[in-house]
Structures are given as structure tokens and as C-alpha cells.
Amino acid sequence: QVDIMESGGGSVQAGGSLRLSCAASGITSENCMAWFSQKSGERRELVGSISATGLAEYGYGLRGRITVSRDSANNILYLQMNNLEPDDSAMYYCAVRGRRLCYSNPDQYDFWGQGTQVTVSS
């Protein structure tokens, strides 16, 4: 039984910071964990991914303002978000791919959390 749980979203003012967390259980040790963002009516886009060995990749939207990290032993994924902008407002989802390689395409991921809302006000 796979379970994905996100936390840490909320409302912040522009320039503020948030740290999102995702706890995954029931997944294989060889996996990729990733954050995706989705605005209403738009496609789901990669924020950042990280392999079980710590190799991180980022999308373009928040590049330079975010850091993905993980506690691979406990399958916990983090997203540190700094200097947030109103355009960063979106639902943020944690996703897990049950294989070694990471992808930017959300269709490659097997399991998803319910999402956590991030709202940035100006």
C-alpha cells in the first residue's frame, strides 16, 4: 500500500519562504520523488525532482529560488521555496516514480499525493 502525504503549504506575502514536505510509504528503494505545480486550467509542471541517490533536477519556473532534498532512508521529500512571487501560487503535488530515473513528464510518475496549496500575495 503506497501512501503519499504533503504538508507545509499556506499563504505568504511576496518575498516570503515556505518549506514543503512529502512523506511516502510503501515505495521501492529505487525511486524518484518530485514536486509538480499546477494552476487552475493549466498543465502540471515539474518544479524539481530528486533521485534516491540525491541527483536533483529543476524546472524553469522557480529556478534559483528553490531547493529539493530528501531523506532517502525515510522517503521524505522537501521543497525549500524562497523569495516567493505571486506567480508561484499554485497547488503543489508530490509524486513518486517507482523506478530509478527521473522525468519531467508527470505521466511518468506512478503515485501522487493530494497536493498542498501555496498562495503568495503581493
Side-chain angles (χ1 to χ4, degrees):
Q1 180 86 2
V2 175
D3 191 43
I4 312 293
M5 296 178 57
E6 302 109 327
S7 61
S11 298
V12 297
Q13 294 183 339
S17 299
L18 286 173
R19 190 192 190 206
L20 308 185
S21 299
C22 170
S25 62
I27 62 176
T28 60
S29 59
E30 189 174 86
N31 64 75
C32 172
M33 301 184 73
W35 290 101
F36 287 82
S37 65
Q38 186 171 33
K39 301 178 181 179
S40 179
E42 300 183 5
R43 67 168 59 189
R44 196 166 293 187
E45 295 185 347
L46 176 71
V47 177
S49 65
I50 187 166
S51 72
T53 58
L55 179 63
E57 298 180 358
Y58 296 94
Y60 293 96
L62 288 86
R63 182 175 291 179
R65 298 185 289 115
I66 56 170
T67 302
V68 293
S69 61
R70 65 181 290 170
D71 177 353
S72 290
N74 296 296
N75 290 322
I76 303 175
L77 174 70
Y78 302 100
L79 178 66
Q80 180 65 48
M81 311 172 70
N82 299 318
N83 196 23
L84 287 165
E85 304 170 357
D87 192 55
D88 299 326
S89 298
M91 186 73 76
Y92 286 76
Y93 295 92
C94 177
V96 175
R97 184 173 188 265
R99 290 174 290 279
R100 180 174 60 86
L101 296 179
C102 292
Y103 288 87
S104 62
N105 187 346
D107 293 340
Q108 293 289 336
Y109 291 80
D110 303 302
F111 309 105
W112 294 84
Q114 292 295 314
T116 184
Q117 180 69 47
V118 171
T119 302
V120 185
S121 60
S122 60

